[in-house]
Amino acid sequence: MDHAHPDTPAPAWRRKLALYWKLTRGDRPIGWLLLLWPTWWGLWIAAEGVPPLWTWFVFSAGVWLTRAAGCVINDYADRWLDPHVERTKHRPLATGEVRGREALAVFAALMLTAFALVLSLNRLTILMSFVGVVLAASYPYLKRYTYLPQVYLGMAFGWGIPMAFAAVQGEVPAVGWLLYAANILWSTAYDTWYAMVDREDDLKMGSKSTAILFGEMDLVAIGILYALMFVALYLVGQRAGLGLYYFGGLAVAAALVAYEFVIARHREREPCFRAFLHNHWVGLTIFAGLALDYALRATSVAA
């Protein structure tokens, strides 16, 4: 009886799937989580507590699908740059293991799946999803023409917030746009940490970023962005009538942000990347305070 040799290569389809998983950053959940937390902030505030289950599922799955699609289109746009950047030179498009046409097909499949989910929601949410597609597809090209791709990333990453209000309330009130603005400030701040990792490679290749724009004032600029984000989130809390647990969550999140500056104060690549990753805890803490505030309020009303 023949036994497969342990060194037999994996079938071609399995190797291809592994490459697609890597292309969509399925092995790196940080980007998905950085999209998930603000989307959940929006859902919880819009619903004043736990949102309807199906709406929650559509947005949570949509976050993963659109983030995966965003990674694919980002790598497609950066085929000229990634082979020359230390951190990205092993990505499947940079190495040539996945062709450009394949990447576009994967992008289309992911976006169509996300759109199919959105079709189960109301008309305003469906219409707003088209803006989301434009933001996600155009973002990667900005780094050639502007020093502000991080701001545009915040616009794309946070679009789930106004969509969440549209899905739950049928409109986007002022507090929804204020929360969206807070997320743009947050995304610009944490993605500048990320851009600081690649700054030397980007300068060589003529790619642009806020890290290059801010130069020696980078830490000051990031500090201002975070401060403005917390001001915006404080105003969100006031407008939404949130209480002690929410503002307590903001205070803990502010302490976590302060720790990022301790980590990355010398601007070395590895610590800057760690400061970027650390923002998952910032988003989680803000959500925890928010969810706890609504949960305990519902309990006290029931009592």
Side-chain angles (χ1 to χ4, degrees), residues 74-75 78-86 88-89 91 94:
N74 183 71
D75 286 8
D78 284 355
R79 301 190 309 286
W80 63 282
L81 176 65
D82 283 350
H84 308 283
V85 176
E86 184 59 37
T88 59
K89 66 185 182 186
R91 287 178 178 173

Side-chain angles (χ1 to χ4, degrees), residues 10-20:
W13 65 268
R14 192 176 291 174
R15 286 202 306 278
K16 191 61 81 175
L17 275 182
L19 285 169
Y20 290 164

Side-chain angles (χ1 to χ4, degrees), residues 71 126 134 184 197 260:
C71 290
I126 294 166
V134 172
I184 293 172
V197 177
E260 290 170 21

